[in-house]
Amino acid sequence: MTHFDAIIIGAGQAGPALAGRLTNAGMTVALVERKLFGGTCVNTGCMPTKTLVASAYVAHLARRAADFGITLDGGPRIDMARVKARADTVSAKARAGIEASLRGMPGCTVIRGQARFESPRVIRVGQKHLTAPRIFVNVGGRASVPDMPGIESVSYLTNTSILALDRLPRHLVVVGGSYVGLEFAQMYRRFGADVTVVEMAPRLIAREDEDVSESVRQICEDEGISVRTGARCISLWPHDQGVLVSVECADGPPDVVGSHVLLAVGRRPNTDDLGLDSAGVATDARGYITVDEGLATSAAGIWALGDCNGRGAFTHTAYNDFEIVAANLLDGAHRRLSERIPAYALYIDPPLGRVGMTETQARAGERPLLIGRRPMTRVSRAVEKGETQGFMKVVVDSETQRILGAAILGTGGDEAIHGVLDIMNADVPYGVLQRAVPIHPTVSELIPTLLGDLQPSR
Ligand SMILES: Cc1cc2nc3c(=O)[nH]c(=O)nc-3n(C[C@H](O)[C@H](O)[C@H](O)COP(=O)(O)OP(=O)(O)OC[C@H]3O[C@@H](n4cnc5c(N)ncnc54)[C@H](O)[C@@H]3O)c2cc1C
């Protein structure tokens, strides 16, 4: 049995930073990683996908070059092997950096292998037994593979295996019209594949407001992506040209034949092989580890951070879990999970930046609301860039004068949304932002204008 002050399971987005804080505080730490340093974000999530999105954007702009007065001889040719190599390099560099920093961290012992609880204080990794009074679980999640008819009879891609493709699929069928699926759908369309998105719900990204879903659908369809929503029963069958996806939609033909199928239908936590029962760590019905406001689990001395606790599904939420745990343990703070204002982006182009409540969520409450909406066609910067798709919207509580939520679907929306996020975090009336003097010409400069044009909606 080897003794440590703390054990961290998983080198994803919370574990390495936590190892740094704990060892700086003088603790000995064992960090266990079974696969790739940096976890999902670095290896199969944010980093490779946003690198691919950047390549796809270049292809898209090259096709539009004439719109900007630039003449290219012929359309762009996409070298998928080089596109892939670029994404691989970005990920590999980040992965190597994280591993090197952990291995060079005084007081940190890096252990490779699958960690499993033997008891509330003991972790087994292969033949090794480790014990510590504090154990931090940062095991992340993986793609769900739904139990749809015929699934075992075909080969399919997930967000991980699609990254190994170095040739363009002839026709990619994306099952799942939400955040992960739409990013892949648009990038592959821009690389030159035929793309069909199949979604069970009546609309894309069904958690967003209807106007956002509609606008995103329009953006996809304008680029030639075929969108099939309301697919009541999806099944997959072998076909001599690849895979036949039976969709049973309200409209359109009942089948789609693709050369490749990507399953993008959600994620599940990596908690089924951790031995959580032996430690008395409770999970919910979907396997997410139940945590309190400080990320503590049902077992004393065990915390769960990142995607595995089901309280966030993003790199920034996993990192914020680390910040909460570290501040409470080491700085005597009393930070709470519920203080976090939800914010995220969908990285199609143009991107969707989101913060706080949707309009639908706000309307479901009793509060009096003010709502502002502005199309990107009325944003100078968007006009100048020739990227006028989308709109921005903000929802305000008219009594408290606080912004409840906002969406910016448009060029620069993933950056511009931070002005709204900052004012929400500052917890001051929206008038403070309305009186600000932003830089011209930017997308952000229209946020004060939007706030000056709010309409009562209840
Ligand atoms: C395609 C895609 C795109 C994404 N894009 C974005 C984005 O743009 N922005 C964003 O904020 N988020 C994005 N995400 C989500 C983001 O990647 C995750 O929210 C984030 O990686 C979660 O971090 P984590 O630390 O909780 O877990 P992970 O990063 O998944 O790390 C968990 C680590 O634990 C290890 N592990 C698991 N079980 C064990 C065990 N028993 N023993 C030892 N080690 C173990 C795993 O190998 C892994 O390295 C994306 C996700 C996907 C799939």
Side-chain angles (χ1 to χ4, degrees):
M1 184 78 73
T2 317
H3 293 254
F4 294 91
D5 293 322
I7 298 170
I8 299 171
I9 307 175
Q13 295 306 304
L18 185 61
R21 280 293 317 266
L22 296 176
T23 52
N24 266 339
M27 293 190 199
T28 55
V29 173
L31 187 141
V32 190
E33 172 54 55
R34 70 179 176 191
K35 214 167 169 202
L36 299 174
F37 289 86
T40 306
C41 178
V42 166
N43 299 290
T44 58
C46 338
M47 285 195 111
T49 56
K50 267 80 255 183
T51 309
L52 293 168
V53 162
S55 290
Y57 180 66
V58 173
H60 178 67
L61 264 194
R63 284 190 195 100
R64 292 192 57 209
D67 295 350
F68 297 85
I70 311 293
T71 307
L72 297 179
D73 292 332
R77 281 180 291 116
I78 316 291
D79 183 341
M80 279 306 289
R82 284 176 65 189
V83 166
K84 173 184 180 297
R86 182 170 173 273
D88 289 348
T89 304
V90 170
S91 289
K93 221 170 162 181
R95 180 167 64 241
I98 292 169
E99 178 166 7
S101 111
L102 287 169
R103 291 198 185 279
M105 191 179 282
C108 180
T109 304
V110 173
I111 299 169
R112 300 307 310 264
Q114 163 84 30
R116 207 183 152 82
F117 281 95
E118 296 267 288
S119 73
R121 293 282 166 272
V122 177
I123 299 287
R124 184 162 63 78
V125 186
Q127 299 308 310
K128 294 191 179 83
H129 284 82
L130 323 172
T131 184
R134 302 165 199 86
I135 300 179
F136 303 93
V137 182
N138 176 219
V139 292
R142 60 185 185 277
S144 295
V145 176
D147 191 18
M148 28 181 81
I151 186 111
E152 63 302 321
S153 66
V154 298
S155 62
Y156 54 82
L157 299 163
T158 64
N159 71 280
T160 301
S161 53
I162 196 170
L163 297 174
L165 291 187
D166 58 6
R167 279 203 256 148
L168 193 66
R170 187 181 47 73
H171 183 168
L172 178 67
V173 180
V174 178
V175 178
S178 204
Y179 308 89
V180 170
L182 291 177
E183 288 179 13
F184 279 110
Q186 191 189 47
M187 82 173 71
Y188 271 93
R189 180 66 192 142
R190 290 180 168 192
F191 292 146
D194 287 337
V195 174
T196 303
V197 175
V198 175
E199 167 57 50
M200 277 185 170
R203 56 191 176 89
L204 298 177
I205 42 169
R207 258 178 276 167
E208 304 296 340
D209 287 331
E210 260 183 75
D211 50 1
V212 173
S213 287
E214 259 320 299
S215 211
V216 166
R217 182 178 187 140
Q218 196 61 53
I219 288 164
C220 292
E221 290 183 336
D222 284 351
E223 293 193 25
I225 297 170
S226 167
V227 177
R228 306 292 309 274
T229 46
R232 281 186 297 272
C233 174
I234 303 173
S235 56
L236 306 172
W237 306 103
H239 188 276
D240 54 11
Q241 286 168 41
V243 182
L244 183 144
V245 185
S246 181
V247 292
E248 285 190 34
C249 292
D251 309 309
D255 301 326
V256 181
V257 176
S259 58
H260 295 70
V261 172
L262 168 67
L263 296 182
V265 288
R267 314 265 307 157
R268 55 179 294 198
N270 291 326
T271 52
D272 42 348
D273 52 3
L274 258 182
L276 290 176
D277 286 350
S278 315
V281 173
T283 57
D284 68 14
R286 295 190 302 151
Y288 289 99
I289 298 175
T290 326
V291 291
D292 68 11
E293 284 273 16
L295 285 317
T297 69
S298 57
I302 303 178
W303 289 259
L305 299 84
D307 284 11
C308 68
N309 64 30
R311 305 293 290 270
F314 302 100
T315 284
H316 45 280
T317 50
Y319 191 82
N320 182 237
D321 286 358
F322 141 69
E323 292 176 316
I324 293 170
V325 167
N328 293 352
L329 272 180
L330 302 173
D331 306 334
H334 300 284
R335 291 181 62 171
R336 297 157 65 82
L337 203 47
S338 55
E339 291 162 359
R340 179 159 80 206
I341 295 170
Y344 52 88
L346 162 67
Y347 290 93
I348 58 163
D349 170 47
L352 168 68
R354 275 274 300 113
V355 57
M357 290 185 189
T358 60
E359 181 182 339
T360 314
Q361 286 167 337
R363 283 185 185 281
E366 304 285 304
R367 309 291 306 166
L369 302 176
L370 295 168
I371 296 181
R373 199 173 187 283
R374 188 179 192 89
M376 294 303 282
T377 47
R378 293 182 58 214
V379 174
S380 298
R381 189 66 195 278
V383 174
E384 288 147 9
K385 291 173 81 177
E387 299 183 350
T388 52
Q389 291 163 305
F391 64 95
M392 50 172 78
K393 175 165 75 170
V394 63
V395 182
V396 170
D397 182 319
S398 63
E399 252 170 47
T400 64
Q401 306 273 293
R402 297 302 191 269
I403 297 177
L404 299 175
I408 304 181
L409 172 64
T411 184
D414 52 334
E415 297 288 348
I417 197 72
H418 285 87
V420 182
L421 177 58
D422 290 346
I423 212 79
M424 289 175 74
N425 273 306
D427 192 19
V428 292
Y430 74 89
V432 174
L433 182 55
Q434 193 191 339
R435 287 191 296 274
V437 184
I439 297 167
H440 173 77
T442 56
V443 173
S444 301
E445 76 175 320
L446 269 304
I447 297 171
T449 313
L450 186 68
L451 291 169
D453 196 22
L454 296 173
Q455 303 301 321
S457 85
R458 185 161 55 211

